[in-house]
Amino acid sequence: MKAVEITGLDVRYGAARILEEIAFSAEQGEMIGIVGPNGSGKTTLLKAMSRIVTPESGEIYYNNQDMADLTFRQLAREVAVVPQEIAIQFDYTVREIVTMGRHPFIGRFASESREDHAICTRAMKLASVDHLAETSVNAISGGERQRVLIARALAQEPKVLLLDEATSNLDISHQIEILSIIRRETVRASIISVFHDLNLASSYCDRILLLKDRQIHAMGPPAEVLTRENIRAVYGVDVIVRKHPLTGRPYILLMYDHERGAPQSTRIHILCGGGTGSELMQTLHAQGMQITTGVLNILDSDYLTAKELGIMVISEPPFSPISEESVSILKRCLTEADLIILLNMPIGRGNIENIRVLNGYKEKVVMYGMDSGIQDYSGGEATRLITDLCGCGALRIESIQEMQSFLSSKRLHEKKDKSGMII
């Protein structure tokens, strides 16, 4: 059953068109996330759906009832709204604010019933504000006040719940707690929520509506909408989109534009695996360095990162030993590299050849993240090889910041002595 249906919605503020030809529907029990850059019309869409602004054209239906035909009292029985912020001028207690959620169901001259009080008490407990029941809303924090507004909406027991970045003022633990409660306690309601955080939207929403330039750019399940191409087209930034290992839903990693340190001509080969190299590859790629990596199997998360970034990666099929052809390509990359970064990756019989070949390139090796101990699954060979590298003076670096400092320093480009060591 369609709890919400919107057709041909246009909204103007004076001469400025804010929304254009918006059309979508929401099923009962479905959660839809509205995302998009600032100024794309996200909040305006919710304001139109709650009759705060009047559309220039189009229709909004709640459970087959035209919103234009509903009185404000009837609309309040159908729809609850949690805004980003609200100014409360009077010194109401938390309990009084939450009880306002029951007003659409109480007669003009009637008082709250025992059932109303029970509903409000439960809503306050769910939002973790029951201990503040008799406290003035003007004497609590912004995050606590936001949870009070969410409790009021839960007390309203709406058929449609509209959230305008309702958890943005909360810390991450309360964001997760509140969104989980909303999903669990409003299973018969449709939830339409504006999100600033794409990863939260992906985690909790059944479908995502992505706005751009007043219109719907894309709408569908998170995996179809939150793609690298869509995010680049709408937000103008490059990202890495991965599948969450537990939920299977997409999650987004920003590719920060770090301050450039080493020259763009710096060539770096990264030896990594098991996800140990993804952050470093992202950072150095953003700095414009020429990066190669491998040998990696094609199911490794570092392989996926390299492919998404357009980095040249030497690869092998899963569970296959490193071939002579791959070793030959690896040696060529190591020869051409100005620097070789060896990360604290798991090393076993399948990828030990990555370490063996370093014997001829010791003067170029920097070891990254080895303080936690070598992940040796090779029967001790990896430990012996890495210990030998340390004995030859290989530099050890333990953080991104240290690595950036080293790359931007003169040490990388200084002349080498006769033994090939950096001096």
Side-chain angles (χ1 to χ4, degrees):
M1 176 181 178
K2 291 181 179 179
V4 180
E5 186 169 11
I6 297 176
T7 58
L9 189 71
D10 290 355
V11 178
R12 285 180 180 270
Y13 287 156
R17 187 182 293 275
I18 308 301
L19 292 172
E20 185 176 354
E21 286 296 316
I22 301 298
F24 71 94
S25 62
E27 302 294 325
Q28 184 178 4
E30 184 180 28
M31 185 168 185
I32 292 178
I34 301 174
V35 301
N38 293 339
S40 60
K42 303 185 296 296
T43 295
T44 299
L45 177 54
L46 289 199
K47 286 181 176 179
M49 295 177 68
S50 53
R51 204 187 278 172
I52 295 174
V53 300
T54 302
E56 180 184 44
S57 61
E59 291 81 35
I60 300 172
Y61 291 89
Y62 291 120
N63 296 305
N64 296 321
Q65 301 176 86
D66 191 333
M67 184 181 73
D69 296 333
L70 299 175
T71 67
F72 282 103
R73 188 179 183 85
Q74 289 171 329
L75 182 62
R77 290 180 176 179
E78 298 287 328
V79 181
V81 182
V82 180
Q84 292 182 43
E85 295 179 0
I86 188 169
I88 301 173
Q89 303 296 332
F90 298 97
D91 209 26
Y92 292 113
T93 67
V94 167
R95 186 184 300 279
E96 287 170 333
I97 293 293
V98 175
T99 302
M100 292 177 186
R102 300 304 302 161
H103 287 183
F105 305 95
I106 300 172
R108 180 175 298 180
F109 301 107
S111 299
E112 299 86 11
S113 67
R114 182 176 298 177
E115 181 183 3
D116 293 323
H117 286 298
I119 290 171
C120 292
T121 298
R122 183 171 184 273
M124 286 189 290
K125 287 181 178 178
L126 288 171
S128 300
V129 293
D130 52 309
H131 64 291
L132 301 171
E134 308 309 324
T135 307
S136 167
V137 291
N138 294 317
I140 60 179
S141 70
E144 289 169 332
R145 190 179 297 116
Q146 197 67 19
R147 300 208 309 273
V148 171
L149 298 179
I150 291 167
R152 184 183 66 178
L154 293 174
Q156 200 169 330
E157 296 184 322
K159 298 182 180 68
V160 177
L161 178 59
L162 306 180
L163 307 170
D164 189 3
E165 294 191 50
T167 62
S168 60
N169 289 331
L170 306 181
D171 58 53
I172 186 63
S173 63
H174 279 113
Q175 285 182 330
I176 294 170
E177 177 187 8
I178 291 298
L179 288 171
S180 298
I181 288 169
I182 287 171
R183 288 246 57 178
R184 185 178 69 246
E185 298 299 324
T186 56
V187 291
R188 290 183 294 276
S190 294
I191 306 164
I192 299 175
S193 177
V194 170
F195 283 92
H196 174 73
D197 189 318
L198 298 182
N199 286 321
L200 278 178
S202 177
S203 296
Y204 285 95
C205 295
D206 300 299
R207 288 190 292 156
I208 303 288
L209 187 157
L210 178 59
L211 287 174
K212 179 191 179 186
D213 297 335
R214 308 181 302 276
Q215 297 181 317
I216 296 176
H217 180 82
M219 185 169 185
E224 294 180 8
V225 174
L226 298 179
T227 64
R228 187 180 183 185
E229 293 72 24
N230 279 340
I231 293 171
R232 185 190 291 124
V234 171
Y235 290 91
V237 297
D238 207 1
V239 297
I240 297 173
V241 181
R242 289 282 183 78
K243 182 182 289 187
H244 195 285
L246 298 180
T247 66
R249 290 172 176 255
Y251 71 94
I252 293 93
L253 299 170
L254 294 177
M255 293 173 59
Y256 297 102
D257 187 13
H258 296 278
E259 182 181 355
R260 297 186 183 273
Q264 293 189 21
S265 59
T266 302
R267 295 167 297 185
I268 299 174
H269 188 86
I270 299 177
L271 292 167
C272 56
T276 59
S278 292
E279 182 183 10
L280 186 63
M281 279 192 280
Q282 178 183 328
T283 300
L284 300 186
H285 179 268
Q287 292 180 339
M289 299 183 195
Q290 298 180 37
I291 303 170
T292 55
T293 188
V295 180
L296 291 164
N297 81 69
I298 61 174
L299 295 182
D300 194 291
S301 56
D302 284 337
Y303 171 86
L304 297 175
T305 296
K307 296 299 287 185
E308 288 168 346
L309 293 173
I311 291 171
M312 182 270 181
V313 53
I314 312 163
S315 62
E316 292 284 3
F319 313 113
S320 299
I322 295 176
S323 65
E324 291 184 7
E325 180 182 2
S326 291
V327 171
S328 176
I329 298 171
L330 174 59
K331 288 180 178 179
R332 186 166 68 247
C333 288
L334 299 181
T335 299
E336 295 174 352
D338 298 305
L339 187 71
I340 301 164
I341 303 177
L342 171 62
L343 283 88
N344 188 16
M345 61 181 177
I347 305 170
R349 294 296 180 188
N351 65 344
I352 189 69
E353 198 62 40
N354 284 326
I355 312 301
R356 289 173 180 157
V357 298
L358 294 180
N359 185 57
Y361 306 91
K362 294 177 182 178
E363 74 282 356
K364 296 182 179 183
V365 176
V366 168
M367 293 189 288
Y368 181 81
M370 292 290 183
D371 266 5
S372 57
I374 300 168
Q375 299 187 67
D376 187 354
Y377 303 97
S378 66
E381 183 181 359
T383 299
R384 290 192 297 273
L385 291 170
I386 292 173
T387 301
D388 181 54
L389 289 171
C390 292
C392 292
L395 183 65
R396 297 173 68 130
I397 292 177
E398 296 304 324
S399 70
I400 289 283
Q401 292 74 24
E402 284 184 60
M403 182 64 73
Q404 289 178 309
S405 177
F406 169 71
L407 292 174
S408 61
S409 72
K410 295 180 180 179
R411 292 189 63 189
L412 179 59
H413 312 289
E414 287 174 344
K415 293 180 180 179
K416 298 173 183 177
D417 64 13
K418 293 180 180 179
S419 66
M421 296 302 300
I422 297 173
I423 59 173

